[in-house]
C-alpha cells in the first residue's frame, strides 16, 4: 500500500513559519499541506517550494479530520504527552497526517482530541525545553519518509534536483477555495451580518458584535 504524509497547520502563531514548513514538506515528500482556519499565510522562507506543494483549506478541525479519515490516514500530534512515543521508534501504521502545535503553547485540547496518537522528539542536551515548530516538523517528516520507504530524490553535485515549476505561476500566500465553498462562506457572512441588527434595525452591542465575528466553533 502506498503511503502518504500530510501536514496540518491550525494554530501556528507566526504565519511566516508556514513558508518554512512548506519547504520541509516538499523535501520530505508530503502530499498536501492542510491549512485550517485562516486561509492566508506568509510564504517567506519557502524558497519557491510552495509552487511544488498542494494546499488544502478547511474552516474547522473536524472538517479536516473527516477529510483525512476518508483518505485512510491516522492523525499524529507532534507533542510531548504522557502517552507520546519517541519518533525514532517509528510508531506508524499507515498514511499519516502530522498536526503541529502553536510555538508557545503546543497543541490545544481541541487539537489533541482529533489525534489518534502522539510522537515526541527525544532531546539529549540541556539547553532548551523545546524545538522550533518548523524544526520539529522536519525531523518528524524525515522519520516518516524513512519508515514509509519514500524514494530518495536524485542529486546533481551538492544539491538535489528540483522539479520544473508549473507553467502557470501565481503568488502563493493564500489557500484557494472551490467555488461552492466561497459561495457558502459568503452566505454565512451575510447571515452573521444580518444578526447584528435587531428587529428595529438597531445594531447590537459591540460585545455581541465581536463575539459573532470571532467565535470559534472548531
Amino acid at each position: 500500500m502506498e503511503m502518504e504524509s500530510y501536514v496540518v497547520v491550525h494554530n501556528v502563531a507566526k504565519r511566516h513559519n508556514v513558508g518554512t514548513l512548506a519547504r520541509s514538506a516538499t523535501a520530505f515528500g508530503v502530499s498536501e499541506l492542510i491549512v485550517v482556519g485562516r486561509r492566508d499565510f506568509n510564504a517567506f522562507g519557502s524558497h519557491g517550494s510552495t509552487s511544488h506543494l498542494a494546499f488544502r483549506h478547511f474552516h474547522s478541525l473536524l472538517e479536516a479530520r473527516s477529510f483525512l479519515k476518508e483518505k485512510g490516514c491516522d492523525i499524529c500530534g507532534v507533542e510531548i504527552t504522557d502517552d507520546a512515543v519517541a519518533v525514532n521508534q517509528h510508531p506508524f501504521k499507515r498514511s499519516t497526517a502530522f498536526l503541529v502545535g502553536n510555538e508557545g503553547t503546543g497543541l490545544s485540547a481541541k487539537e489533541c482530541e482529533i489525534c489518534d496518537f502522539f510522537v515526541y522528539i527525544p532531546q539529549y542536551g540541556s539547553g532548551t525545553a523545546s524545538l522550533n515548530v518548523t524544526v520539529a516538523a522536519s525531523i518528524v517528516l524525515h522519520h516518516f519518509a524513512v519508515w514509509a520507504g519514500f524514494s530518495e530524490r536524485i542529486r546533481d553535485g551538492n544539491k538535489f534536483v528540483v522539479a520544473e515549476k508549473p507553467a502557470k505561476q501565481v503568488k502563493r500566500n493564500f489557500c484557494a477555495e472551490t467555488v461552492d465553498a466561497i459561495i457558502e462562506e459568503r452566505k454565512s457572512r451575510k447571515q452573521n451580518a444580518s444578526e447584528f441588527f435587531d428587529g428595529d434595525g438597531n445594531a447590537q452591542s459591540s460585545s455581541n458584535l465581536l463575539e459573532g465575528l470571532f467565535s470559534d466553533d472548531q
Side-chain angles (χ1 to χ4, degrees), residues 65 88 99 105 114 116 124 213-214:
R65 182 183 185 278
N88 55 306
L99 178 57
T105 58
I114 73 165
D116 298 301
Y124 309 100
L213 282 172
F214 298 106

Side-chain angles (χ1 to χ4, degrees), residues 10 36 59-65 99 110-111 114 218:
H10 172 237
V36 181
H59 292 287
S60 71
L61 288 169
L62 292 180
E63 289 176 340
R65 182 183 185 278
L99 178 57
K110 288 183 178 180
E111 291 167 332
I114 73 165
Q218 297 171 358

